Amino acid sequence: MALTDAQQQEIDAARSAAHQTRRPTVPALEAMLFTATPVLDHGFVRVVDYMGDDAAIVQAARVSYGRGTKAVSEDRGLIRYLMRHRHSTPFEMCEIKYHVKLPIFVARQWIRHRTANVNEYSARYSILDREFYIPAAENLAAQSSMNRQGRGAVLEGAEAARVLDLLREDATRNYDHYVEMLNEDEKGEPIDPGRQGLARELGRMNLTLNAYTQWYWKTDLHNLFNFLSLRADAHAQYEIRVYAEAMMQSAEAWVPIATGAFRDYRLGAVTFSAQMLGILRRMLAGEAVEQADSGLSKREWRELMDTIGRGL
Amino acid sequence: MALTDAQQQEIDAARSAAHQTRRPTVPALEAMLFTATPVLDHGFVRVVDYMGDDAAIVQAARVSYGRGTKAVSEDRGLIRYLMRHRHSTPFEMCEIKYHVKLPIFVARQWIRHRTANVNEYSARYSILDREFYIPAAENLAAQSSMNRQGRGAVLEGAEAARVLDLLREDATRNYDHYVEMLNEDEKGEPIDPGRQGLARELGRMNLTLNAYTQWYWKTDLHNLFNFLSLRADAHAQYEIRVYAEAMMQSAEAWVPIATGAFRDYRLGAVTFSAQMLGILRRMLAGEAVEQADSGLSKREWRELMDTIGRGL
Amino acid sequence: MALTDAQQQEIDAARSAAHQTRRPTVPALEAMLFTATPVLDHGFVRVVDYMGDDAAIVQAARVSYGRGTKAVSEDRGLIRYLMRHRHSTPFEMCEIKYHVKLPIFVARQWIRHRTANVNEYSARYSILDREFYIPAAENLAAQSSMNRQGRGAVLEGAEAARVLDLLREDATRNYDHYVEMLNEDEKGEPIDPGRQGLARELGRMNLTLNAYTQWYWKTDLHNLFNFLSLRADAHAQYEIRVYAEAMMQSAEAWVPIATGAFRDYRLGAVTFSAQMLGILRRMLAGEAVEQADSGLSKREWRELMDTIGRGL
Amino acid sequence: MALTDAQQQEIDAARSAAHQTRRPTVPALEAMLFTATPVLDHGFVRVVDYMGDDAAIVQAARVSYGRGTKAVSEDRGLIRYLMRHRHSTPFEMCEIKYHVKLPIFVARQWIRHRTANVNEYSARYSILDREFYIPAAENLAAQSSMNRQGRGAVLEGAEAARVLDLLREDATRNYDHYVEMLNEDEKGEPIDPGRQGLARELGRMNLTLNAYTQWYWKTDLHNLFNFLSLRADAHAQYEIRVYAEAMMQSAEAWVPIATGAFRDYRLGAVTFSAQMLGILRRMLAGEAVEQADSGLSKREWRELMDTIGRGL
């Protein structure tokens, strides 16, 4: 499932092609087209196609505002205004398509983003590659003791070695048994011609969740930003965050103004509840507010203090 | 809301632009880009942008089938297979964006297709143009006496003249009162500087449903085909069907193989229920089947006879 | 299109019915079932059916957290946590269905919320009622001079009277011509048996945008909150906001904890950009920040000052 | 992740509860509520909640048709008409929610149905149970030699035994190593208090794709039928088809008329292309048509002959 020679030739051919088009074209993204960005130990992200640019967002917004926008300030200001006020439909007018290779447990998180188009490699039809995600030493983290879905300190020494050994051995053994049961090797050639192989749609169940799959994934810019706001966030699991970060780079090349606005007004933004805003106003007026008289729970109070930089 | 001079210049500039791209490019559709196809008396459809081509459908399908497809026959056969067996996700990998000008009552039908991206001209912000749809004489049909949502014979003579007069007069009068209430002319200039105008978001309610609006509308090829299968169908209202037909032409230019498959396996296809199939088999075996012993209702029987060319 | 006698009898029968069910049941919402809340001059909202309650949100969240949630605090805290951190999927587990009667120009805004199920009265099939929205005197506002989509002062005296006369006369005249062209009265009875009527699908185009339509509209709680966050907001047009407010009351009765969380963390919440947060921190540290050294545009600075209560 | 005692008590309590409601209520489905139907070796499907019934479909359709439907025939005829002519929106007015326990490789197919609401057990938070799907002997099929995604003969003897051994041993070993790496037992209790455990979000990657997960899954009737038309079909993989069949039973209990129409007009229906229909007409007229002069490819010809019962 790595790129085959045939696939690689096809990609190289596409990459070297130069067509004439009247469509909006973004040179910075063209430069990245058909180039795979490596992610994790065997994965990648590559942009396959795109539609629209920053100006396409403006164009769509202007249709909505019609003549009313004669006086509206320039494009950058308009895009930032749209982002700040969550006018999301103009961002839907841009579309991007990725080819992604990723571990199955990451794919399971990713697919929860429903407003996207997907074609995934099917292990009902075809044999998966002998490739598994094994974390690098610095990512082999212990369970957080504070956060049920978080990571704590990095494991080290014998403990780390034991984990890596188990992950490697189990994935490899399961894969070996997978091809044995299928009676087909990685290339799909029969191993023992005198024997029937298990149906592929059954054999795949023996694989581990760190096996790699791949898919084409296409979405519009608004939904890409929704994806990135959850997956490029510090709370996202590291193994999906690195994909999101690679995609942020392509967004940066593609729609730099919109991506800048996304960074400022969504990724880096904070939301305060009605109660929190009341407390902020009291504080700004010079009042010393304590958790006890804040009306907030201890947990919310701590979140607020962290946000405004007064945490310990 | 017709294209302003500024808009027209912008379109002309875009049309004459020639960019280099590595993306899949379709010369036949490029030739149509930025050219408005007139529809009805004041409407139009124009393709603004697109992503993908017939080969992009194949590319996405092949990722699903992986190595398993080594032997799969050539592209045309694969696309037709996908269409025949309703494997719809590869068709979602192509995307198209239209700019459409259309009467509001048509827009109300159109918007029911939810899987699309839309930016519509807003009459909260801006003033609509003095343009209304008035049917051509040959489309001025009487209510069907058979079908509650259909059309019968064309109205003629005094009756037709009366209808056309009423439509024209009412739309025009209501528009005149609209700008009077707003105290703004079509260009947005105040009529009587000494008077306040009604809020645009209120004034618009005096317009008739044949006033024209416009929007950007973007969708993927699978959902475009869903739209066309309903709206390019003979049962669709004439006023939306003409838009669908103009869009069929752009689909034909863009993805000729997929559009051919769509014509054969969906637009021109018929579906038989389990019962109908049973009857068909009996007939093919030489049996003379009557409605009475068919198990079908009279209505279904008539539908079946019409389909197989045995209607009266 | 007002409730016919037959419809009213059906509703009365449904309302007086009492079934036994094992499903989660909310007495406060049951009390509102089948009772239309009047909105505007001829519109209404009524809850037709619902699924789930506050506990269903918790139940779904607990499946996600599995055993991990043994220690999680009680339901109210969990629901508020989910809302605060935008964990939206558990809210999708509740569903509500409304029957709404509303002016067409309001329906056009409303339908832009795509994640919902809709069945609308069809004027292709049937005749609309002689009912139009005419604003009450206190809602007859002038165009705002500051905000292109807003309202300014209320119109008064002769100006107001003129607007109301025009709205009434034009809607009525157009309706009269509509039934004349159709050659059917409001009940669908032919007016002049010797004459053909225009097809209903054409005749409807003569109606004004303040004519009333009606629909069944069904959505999940997450998407209801999305709708309410835009339409119950002070920036929403009055004519749709009153519907949203009526729906807020049903949400309050149905899922009081979730609706409370929605009020605190979304309706009444504010979002600060990364830059705004930096300024806030400087202010809280006692620094006197001015627009000029804030890095914000004048517009953003004004928005920030308004939010923290330092506007003029 | 099997039902814990606490969960079971909660379900029993819900099951024995009896509330009064004015909502449409379906006794046959009420009888199934909170009762898990076993599927595969450790899985189940149970209906958790529902909204609407056959009459709710009619009610929604009648709003669309308005007065126009005075004369429309009775409910059964209307529902069958809607299904036959693919008027899908009235079916969206019914909603159902399931709790499902299923192997991960089945969940991966299932989740591709995007128009649904899902809350899945999260292995980032919690520990999965020691339960894996092991096919029953009669389902242990060889790869089909004709169909790349199909099954051939059942494996037997030593071959079958070897496959079952491998599946069992690998799943069990990997699970044992999973809890060892996490340093937590199945109940979440630490195994070796002196040692840190690997983060759960990492440890889960060692599990096999036949491990069981569970989720709440909620959808509307139209999308349930879409799911069933693909997954209750003979071409669906056995392991998901058994879930679809269990859900067909609940649909049968819930909306018997709509489900009957679905069986006749969709599950058991066939679609003929424009070309196929032409051939059928020729055959019905007594002509002997051969593949060579049919205009169909060999593959399509074979499909047609199979459908009309003339296959070998």
Side-chain angles (χ1 to χ4, degrees):
Chain A
M1 208 177 38
L3 295 173
T4 61
D5 291 352
Q7 277 182 305
Q8 191 59 55
Q9 283 165 25
E10 197 184 322
I11 289 172
D12 292 345
R15 184 165 169 75
S16 63
H19 307 289
Q20 290 272 15
T21 187
R22 286 166 167 161
R23 292 173 292 169
T25 302
V26 183
L29 190 61
E30 291 279 335
M32 300 171 82
L33 273 185
F34 304 108
T35 305
T37 303
V39 184
L40 298 180
D41 49 357
H42 299 288
F44 62 75
V45 169
R46 68 180 182 92
V47 180
V48 174
D49 206 346
Y50 69 94
M51 172 199 272
D53 55 6
D54 273 326
I57 301 164
V58 171
Q59 180 190 48
R62 291 252 154 89
V63 136
S64 296
Y65 301 154
R67 293 209 187 96
T69 54
K70 270 180 307 196
V72 162
S73 51
E74 35 60 73
D75 292 4
R76 186 170 177 280
L78 176 55
I79 288 175
R80 294 178 68 81
Y81 174 88
L82 295 170
M83 182 69 74
R84 199 158 73 243
H85 292 279
R86 300 235 169 197
H87 292 301
S88 54
T89 56
F91 296 99
E92 296 176 15
M93 287 291 153
C94 296
E95 192 89 11
I96 194 160
K97 180 164 41 173
Y98 291 99
H99 182 190
V100 188
K101 188 171 168 189
L102 70 177
I104 291 174
F105 73 95
V106 174
R108 298 232 306 135
Q109 283 197 316
W110 192 310
I111 200 75
R112 297 305 319 282
H113 295 263
R114 288 164 289 187
T115 314
N117 311 111
V118 189
N119 278 281
E120 183 176 355
Y121 187 92
S122 169
R124 282 188 83 188
Y125 288 82
S126 305
I127 297 178
L128 284 176
D129 284 327
R130 185 190 294 273
E131 287 178 334
F132 332 102
Y133 168 61
I134 305 294
E138 68 269 24
N139 296 316
L140 206 67
Q143 175 66 28
S144 164
S145 55
M146 321 249 292
N147 181 344
R148 294 201 69 92
Q149 67 172 321
R151 296 187 182 183
V154 170
L155 292 184
E156 294 186 337
E159 273 183 65
R162 171 73 177 153
V163 165
L164 291 176
D165 283 351
L166 288 176
L167 290 174
R168 248 185 237 110
E169 286 168 21
D170 284 355
T172 309
R173 181 191 306 106
N174 284 27
Y175 188 87
D176 289 343
H177 290 159
Y178 162 69
V179 293
E180 178 188 336
M181 290 189 285
L182 260 45
N183 192 29
E184 290 182 285
D185 68 12
E186 263 184 86
K187 312 279 181 203
E189 302 301 325
I191 296 172
D192 171 356
R195 184 160 71 78
Q196 290 189 85
L198 182 66
R200 289 185 199 98
E201 67 179 26
L202 287 172
R204 60 176 167 169
M205 80 172 78
N206 205 53
L207 294 169
T208 45
L209 282 157
N210 57 351
Y212 273 89
T213 184
Q214 55 178 286
W215 59 33
Y216 275 62
W217 190 79
K218 167 174 158 288
T219 197
D220 64 59
L221 181 58
H222 171 61
N223 282 288
L224 179 65
F225 283 150
N226 280 349
F227 179 89
L228 295 177
S229 74
L230 285 172
R231 306 308 180 181
D233 181 272
H235 296 91
Q237 179 166 353
Y238 168 79
E239 281 75 20
I240 195 166
R241 200 168 65 231
V242 286
Y243 285 90
E245 285 165 359
M247 292 156 85
M248 271 298 280
Q249 291 183 325
S250 54
E252 210 87 71
W254 176 32
V255 281
I257 300 175
T259 305
F262 168 68
R263 280 193 192 281
D264 291 343
Y265 299 117
R266 292 194 56 194
L267 255 199
V270 293
T271 296
F272 295 122
S273 69
Q275 289 81 352
M276 286 176 175
L277 179 62
I279 292 165
L280 287 178
R281 288 177 170 209
R282 287 164 61 193
M283 285 177 160
L284 286 168
E287 193 179 333
V289 188
E290 301 292 327
Q291 186 265 323
D293 66 341
S294 72
L296 298 188
S297 70
K298 281 184 184 165
R299 180 168 199 159
E300 281 189 79
W301 177 260
R302 201 172 55 236
E303 288 176 12
L304 176 60
M305 290 304 105
D306 284 348
T307 302
I308 61 174
R310 296 203 172 169
L312 297 188
Chain B
M1 206 175 38
L3 294 172
T4 60
D5 290 352
Q7 278 182 305
Q8 192 56 57
Q9 283 167 24
E10 198 185 322
I11 289 172
D12 291 346
R15 185 166 167 74
S16 63
H19 307 288
Q20 291 272 16
T21 187
R22 287 164 166 163
R23 292 173 291 170
T25 302
V26 183
L29 191 60
E30 291 280 334
M32 300 171 83
L33 273 185
F34 305 108
T35 306
T37 303
V39 184
L40 299 180
D41 49 357
H42 300 287
F44 62 75
V45 169
R46 68 181 183 91
V47 180
V48 175
D49 207 346
Y50 69 94
M51 173 200 272
D53 56 7
D54 273 325
I57 300 164
V58 171
Q59 179 190 49
R62 292 253 154 90
V63 135
S64 297
Y65 300 153
R67 291 210 189 95
T69 54
K70 270 180 307 197
V72 163
S73 51
E74 37 59 73
D75 292 3
R76 186 169 176 281
L78 177 55
I79 288 175
R80 293 177 70 80
Y81 174 88
L82 295 170
M83 183 68 75
R84 201 158 72 245
H85 294 279
R86 299 232 169 202
H87 293 301
S88 53
T89 56
F91 297 100
E92 297 176 14
M93 288 289 153
C94 297
E95 191 90 11
I96 193 161
K97 179 162 46 171
Y98 291 100
H99 181 188
V100 188
K101 188 172 166 187
L102 71 177
I104 291 174
F105 73 95
V106 174
R108 298 231 305 134
Q109 282 196 316
W110 193 310
I111 200 75
R112 296 304 318 283
H113 296 263
R114 287 163 290 187
T115 314
N117 310 111
V118 189
N119 278 282
E120 184 176 355
Y121 187 92
S122 169
R124 279 187 86 188
Y125 288 81
S126 305
I127 296 177
L128 283 175
D129 282 328
R130 184 190 296 273
E131 287 178 334
F132 332 102
Y133 168 61
I134 305 295
E138 67 270 24
N139 296 316
L140 207 66
Q143 176 65 29
S144 164
S145 56
M146 321 248 293
N147 180 343
R148 296 200 68 91
Q149 66 172 322
R151 296 186 183 186
V154 170
L155 294 183
E156 295 187 335
E159 271 183 65
R162 171 71 178 155
V163 165
L164 290 176
D165 284 351
L166 288 177
L167 290 175
R168 247 185 239 111
E169 285 169 20
D170 284 356
T172 309
R173 182 191 306 106
N174 284 26
Y175 188 88
D176 289 343
H177 290 158
Y178 162 69
V179 293
E180 179 189 334
M181 289 190 286
L182 261 45
N183 192 30
E184 290 182 285
D185 68 13
E186 266 185 85
K187 312 279 181 202
E189 302 302 324
I191 297 173
D192 171 357
R195 185 160 70 78
Q196 291 188 86
L198 182 66
R200 289 184 200 99
E201 67 179 26
L202 287 172
R204 60 176 167 168
M205 80 172 78
N206 204 56
L207 295 169
T208 46
L209 281 156
N210 56 352
Y212 274 89
T213 184
Q214 55 177 287
W215 60 34
Y216 276 60
W217 190 78
K218 167 174 157 288
T219 197
D220 64 60
L221 182 58
H222 170 63
N223 282 289
L224 179 66
F225 283 150
N226 280 349
F227 179 90
L228 295 177
S229 74
L230 286 172
R231 306 307 182 180
D233 182 271
H235 295 91
Q237 179 165 353
Y238 169 79
E239 280 75 18
I240 195 166
R241 199 168 65 234
V242 286
Y243 285 90
E245 286 165 357
M247 292 155 85
M248 271 299 279
Q249 292 184 325
S250 53
E252 211 86 72
W254 176 31
V255 281
I257 301 175
T259 305
F262 168 68
R263 279 193 192 281
D264 290 343
Y265 299 118
R266 292 193 56 194
L267 255 200
V270 293
T271 297
F272 285 174
S273 69
Q275 289 83 350
M276 287 176 174
L277 180 62
I279 292 165
L280 193 68
R281 287 175 169 211
R282 288 163 61 192
M283 285 178 161
L284 286 168
E287 191 179 334
V289 188
E290 301 292 327
Q291 186 262 324
D293 67 342
S294 71
L296 299 188
S297 70
K298 283 185 183 166
R299 179 168 200 159
E300 282 187 77
W301 177 260
R302 200 174 55 237
E303 288 176 12
L304 176 61
M305 290 303 106
D306 285 348
T307 302
I308 62 175
R310 295 205 171 168
L312 296 187
Chain C
M1 208 176 39
L3 295 172
T4 60
D5 290 351
Q7 277 182 305
Q8 191 58 55
Q9 283 166 24
E10 199 185 321
I11 289 173
D12 292 345
R15 185 165 168 74
S16 64
H19 307 289
Q20 290 271 14
T21 188
R22 286 164 167 162
R23 292 174 290 170
T25 302
V26 182
L29 190 61
E30 291 279 335
M32 299 172 83
L33 273 185
F34 305 109
T35 305
T37 303
V39 183
L40 298 180
D41 49 357
H42 300 288
F44 61 75
V45 169
R46 69 181 182 91
V47 180
V48 174
D49 207 346
Y50 69 95
M51 173 200 271
D53 55 7
D54 274 323
I57 301 164
V58 172
Q59 181 189 47
R62 292 251 154 90
V63 135
S64 297
Y65 301 152
R67 292 209 189 96
T69 54
K70 270 181 309 196
V72 162
S73 50
E74 35 60 71
D75 292 3
R76 186 170 177 280
L78 176 55
I79 288 175
R80 293 178 69 82
Y81 174 89
L82 295 169
M83 182 68 76
R84 201 158 72 244
H85 293 279
R86 299 232 169 199
H87 292 302
S88 54
T89 55
F91 296 99
E92 296 176 13
M93 288 290 152
C94 297
E95 192 89 11
I96 193 161
K97 179 161 47 170
Y98 291 100
H99 181 188
V100 189
K101 187 171 166 188
L102 71 178
I104 291 174
F105 72 95
V106 174
R108 298 232 304 135
Q109 283 196 317
W110 191 309
I111 200 75
R112 296 304 318 283
H113 296 263
R114 288 164 289 187
T115 315
N117 311 111
V118 188
N119 278 281
E120 184 177 355
Y121 187 92
S122 169
R124 280 188 85 189
Y125 287 82
S126 305
I127 297 177
L128 284 175
D129 283 327
R130 185 190 295 274
E131 288 178 333
F132 332 102
Y133 168 61
I134 305 294
E138 67 270 24
N139 296 316
L140 205 68
Q143 175 66 28
S144 164
S145 55
M146 320 249 292
N147 180 343
R148 294 200 69 91
Q149 68 171 319
R151 295 187 182 184
V154 170
L155 293 183
E156 295 187 336
E159 273 183 64
R162 172 70 178 156
V163 165
L164 291 176
D165 283 351
L166 289 177
L167 291 175
R168 247 185 238 110
E169 285 168 21
D170 284 355
T172 308
R173 180 191 307 104
N174 284 29
Y175 187 88
D176 289 342
H177 290 157
Y178 162 69
V179 293
E180 178 188 334
M181 291 189 285
L182 261 45
N183 193 29
E184 289 181 286
D185 68 13
E186 263 183 87
K187 311 281 179 199
E189 301 302 324
I191 297 173
D192 171 357
R195 184 161 70 79
Q196 292 188 86
L198 183 66
R200 288 184 201 98
E201 67 180 27
L202 287 172
R204 60 177 167 168
M205 80 172 77
N206 205 54
L207 294 170
T208 45
L209 282 157
N210 57 352
Y212 274 89
T213 184
Q214 54 177 288
W215 61 33
Y216 276 61
W217 190 78
K218 167 174 156 289
T219 197
D220 63 59
L221 182 57
H222 170 63
N223 282 288
L224 179 66
F225 282 151
N226 280 350
F227 179 90
L228 294 178
S229 74
L230 286 173
R231 305 307 180 180
D233 181 273
H235 296 91
Q237 179 165 353
Y238 169 79
E239 281 76 18
I240 196 167
R241 199 168 66 233
V242 286
Y243 285 91
E245 285 165 358
M247 292 156 84
M248 271 297 280
Q249 291 184 326
S250 53
E252 210 87 71
W254 176 32
V255 282
I257 300 175
T259 305
F262 168 68
R263 280 193 191 281
D264 291 343
Y265 299 118
R266 293 194 55 194
L267 255 199
V270 293
T271 297
F272 286 175
S273 69
Q275 289 82 353
M276 286 176 175
L277 179 61
I279 291 165
L280 192 68
R281 287 176 170 212
R282 287 162 62 192
M283 284 177 161
L284 286 169
E287 193 179 333
V289 188
E290 302 292 326
Q291 186 263 324
D293 67 341
S294 71
L296 299 189
S297 69
K298 281 184 183 165
R299 179 169 199 156
E300 282 188 78
W301 176 260
R302 201 173 55 237
E303 288 176 12
L304 176 60
M305 291 302 108
D306 284 349
T307 302
I308 61 174
R310 295 204 172 169
L312 297 187
Chain D
M1 205 177 40
L3 295 173
T4 60
D5 290 352
Q7 277 182 306
Q8 192 57 56
Q9 283 166 25
E10 198 186 321
I11 290 172
D12 291 346
R15 186 166 168 73
S16 63
H19 307 289
Q20 291 270 16
T21 187
R22 287 165 166 160
R23 292 173 290 170
T25 302
V26 183
L29 190 60
E30 291 279 335
M32 300 172 81
L33 273 185
F34 306 108
T35 305
T37 302
V39 184
L40 300 179
D41 48 357
H42 298 290
F44 61 75
V45 169
R46 68 181 182 92
V47 180
V48 175
D49 206 346
Y50 68 95
M51 174 201 271
D53 56 7
D54 273 326
I57 300 164
V58 171
Q59 180 190 48
R62 291 251 155 90
V63 135
S64 297
Y65 300 154
R67 290 208 191 99
T69 53
K70 269 180 307 193
V72 163
S73 52
E74 37 59 73
D75 292 3
R76 186 170 176 279
L78 176 55
I79 287 174
R80 293 177 70 81
Y81 174 89
L82 295 170
M83 183 68 74
R84 200 158 73 245
H85 293 279
R86 299 234 169 198
H87 292 303
S88 54
T89 55
F91 297 99
E92 297 175 13
M93 288 291 153
C94 296
E95 192 89 10
I96 193 160
K97 180 163 42 171
Y98 291 100
H99 181 189
V100 189
K101 188 172 167 189
L102 70 179
I104 290 173
F105 73 95
V106 174
R108 298 230 307 134
Q109 283 196 317
W110 193 310
I111 200 76
R112 296 306 318 284
H113 296 263
R114 289 163 290 187
T115 314
N117 311 111
V118 189
N119 279 281
E120 184 177 354
Y121 187 93
S122 169
R124 281 187 83 189
Y125 288 82
S126 305
I127 297 177
L128 284 176
D129 282 328
R130 185 190 294 273
E131 286 178 334
F132 332 103
Y133 168 61
I134 306 295
E138 68 269 23
N139 296 317
L140 206 67
Q143 176 65 29
S144 164
S145 56
M146 320 249 291
N147 181 344
R148 296 200 68 92
Q149 67 173 320
R151 296 188 183 182
V154 171
L155 294 183
E156 295 186 336
E159 272 184 64
R162 170 73 177 151
V163 164
L164 291 177
D165 284 350
L166 288 176
L167 289 175
R168 250 186 236 110
E169 286 167 21
D170 285 355
T172 309
R173 182 192 305 105
N174 284 27
Y175 187 88
D176 289 342
H177 290 158
Y178 161 69
V179 293
E180 178 188 335
M181 290 190 285
L182 261 45
N183 192 30
E184 290 182 284
D185 68 13
E186 262 184 87
K187 311 281 180 199
E189 302 302 324
I191 297 173
D192 171 358
R195 184 160 71 77
Q196 291 189 87
L198 182 65
R200 291 186 199 96
E201 67 179 26
L202 287 172
R204 59 176 168 170
M205 79 172 78
N206 204 56
L207 294 169
T208 46
L209 281 157
N210 57 351
Y212 274 89
T213 184
Q214 56 178 287
W215 60 31
Y216 275 62
W217 190 77
K218 168 175 156 287
T219 197
D220 64 60
L221 181 58
H222 170 62
N223 282 288
L224 179 66
F225 283 150
N226 279 350
F227 179 90
L228 295 176
S229 74
L230 286 172
R231 307 305 181 183
D233 182 272
H235 296 91
Q237 179 166 352
Y238 169 79
E239 281 75 18
I240 196 167
R241 199 169 66 235
V242 285
Y243 285 91
E245 285 164 0
M247 291 155 85
M248 271 298 278
Q249 292 184 324
S250 53
E252 211 85 71
W254 176 32
V255 281
I257 300 175
T259 305
F262 168 68
R263 281 193 192 280
D264 291 343
Y265 299 117
R266 293 194 54 195
L267 255 199
V270 293
T271 297
F272 295 123
S273 70
Q275 288 83 352
M276 287 176 175
L277 179 61
I279 292 165
L280 286 178
R281 288 177 170 209
R282 287 164 61 193
M283 286 177 160
L284 286 169
E287 192 179 333
V289 188
E290 301 292 328
Q291 187 263 320
D293 67 342
S294 71
L296 298 189
S297 69
K298 281 184 184 166
R299 178 167 202 160
E300 281 188 78
W301 177 260
R302 200 173 55 237
E303 288 176 11
L304 176 61
M305 290 302 106
D306 284 349
T307 303
I308 61 175
R310 295 204 171 169
L312 298 186

